Amino acid sequence: SQKIEQNSEALNIQEGKTATLTCNYTNYSPAYLQWYRQDPGRGPVFLLLIRENEKEKRKERLKVTFDTTLKQSLFHITASQPADSATYLCALGESSGGYQKVTFGIGTKLQVIP
Amino acid sequence: GAVVSQHPSRVICKSGTSVKIECRSLDFQATTMFWYRQFPKKSLMLMATSNEGSKATYEQGVEKDKFLINHASLTLSTLTVTSAHPEDSSFYICSGEPGTGYTDTQYFGPGTRLTVL
């Protein structure tokens, strides 16, 4: 069966350190993978998209890697700040019946401790 | 840019009534809009995909007669939960996908918290 797994339900990290979140998937052939941030009671906010033929993407303090052989994406936040505390969702994008279909993982809750 | 609004943000209704949720793309034209549902500590589940002017495509297990979707214009989609029951209580989130040149990226609304008593 298809599965998207994100590492540990919650991740606590000291301010200033690099947070690394993992997204593993099985039985998907994603054309791209996205990372979103979601705050409590709010809709997700798009952060980064990486395509199947890309290995790494960066945006300011964020870095995403995508390994289609391992079926894994890593999401890094460098120099983490308390304001980075949120739930981070990975999402896989596939073509399905002419539409782009995005399936979300359950998310990892990141807590950055001052 | 790429802002999506939803109205209302919260709604409480009695069992058996219908509730309409509006989703608007404020600064772009959303050729495709998506409706999701999210239960506590669960992932977002896609309910349906709609393209402006055509019927929505519903995901397996989602009743199209219960969750009516209208995508009347490139900036507005509505979800009507008909004859709502307590099990329909959830967080409903819409998203819009801009047209050519910005594919593969969805912009989400802030969500609507529905509570059915």
Side-chain angles (χ1 to χ4, degrees):
Chain A
S1 61
Q2 292 182 318
K3 210 185 296 184
I4 302 173
E5 291 178 316
Q6 293 194 241
N7 69 320
S8 69
E9 207 170 290
L11 180 66
N12 294 326
I13 194 161
Q14 206 70 36
E15 181 177 5
K17 300 289 186 185
T18 296
T20 299
L21 284 65
T22 306
C23 177
N24 294 296
Y25 59 92
T26 52
N27 294 320
Y28 281 100
S29 297
Y32 56 89
L33 188 147
Q34 301 170 322
W35 283 89
Y36 291 82
R37 169 186 173 137
Q38 187 175 26
D39 291 285
R42 307 291 295 172
V45 174
F46 172 76
L47 296 174
L48 280 168
L49 178 153
I50 186 165
R51 299 194 184 279
E52 60 178 336
N53 60 347
E54 298 175 314
K55 296 289 185 190
E56 184 179 296
K57 256 303 179 48
R58 289 175 186 261
K59 180 182 174 184
E60 297 171 353
R61 293 184 296 113
L62 308 180
K63 185 178 88 171
V64 172
T65 62
F66 193 12
D67 189 326
T68 55
T69 303
L70 289 178
K71 298 186 186 301
Q72 180 183 77
S73 174
L74 299 178
F75 177 76
H76 306 273
I77 306 175
T78 57
S80 57
Q81 304 165 359
D84 295 326
S85 299
T87 295
Y88 291 86
L89 312 174
C90 81
L92 304 184
E94 298 176 289
S95 292
S96 174
Y99 291 99
Q100 292 293 322
K101 180 175 175 177
V102 175
T103 308
F104 285 82
I106 195 169
T108 298
K109 187 175 180 179
L110 174 67
Q111 185 77 33
V112 180
I113 303 162
Chain B
V3 178
V4 175
S5 71
Q6 274 183 248
H7 178 80
S9 57
R10 287 178 179 273
V11 57
I12 301 173
C13 69
K14 290 183 180 178
S15 187
T17 60
S18 294
V19 174
K20 182 188 278 191
I21 302 170
E22 288 188 352
C23 175
R24 292 181 187 273
S25 56
L26 299 184
D27 54 0
F28 69 97
Q29 293 188 326
T31 53
T32 306
M33 283 184 161
F34 304 86
W35 286 95
Y36 293 83
R37 183 165 51 180
Q38 187 176 36
F39 291 105
K41 301 199 176 186
K42 299 288 185 186
S43 62
L44 275 80
M45 296 299 296
L46 180 65
M47 298 174 68
T49 301
S50 73
N51 287 295
E52 183 261 340
S54 60
K55 287 185 179 180
T57 302
Y58 289 81
E59 294 300 301
Q60 197 170 15
V62 178
E63 300 173 57
K64 62 181 180 182
D65 294 330
K66 180 168 182 64
F67 299 99
L68 302 179
I69 291 171
N70 187 305
H71 193 161
S73 75
L74 286 172
T75 58
L76 174 64
S77 176
T78 59
L79 168 69
T80 301
V81 183
T82 61
S83 187
H85 290 282
E87 57 265 30
D88 298 324
S89 298
S90 187
F91 192 49
Y92 291 86
I93 311 175
C94 72
S95 69
E97 186 176 275
T100 307
Y102 296 93
T103 56
D104 308 337
T105 300
Q106 296 178 43
Y107 297 96
F108 285 82
T112 296
R113 174 75 59 193
L114 170 64
T115 303
V116 185
L117 303 175

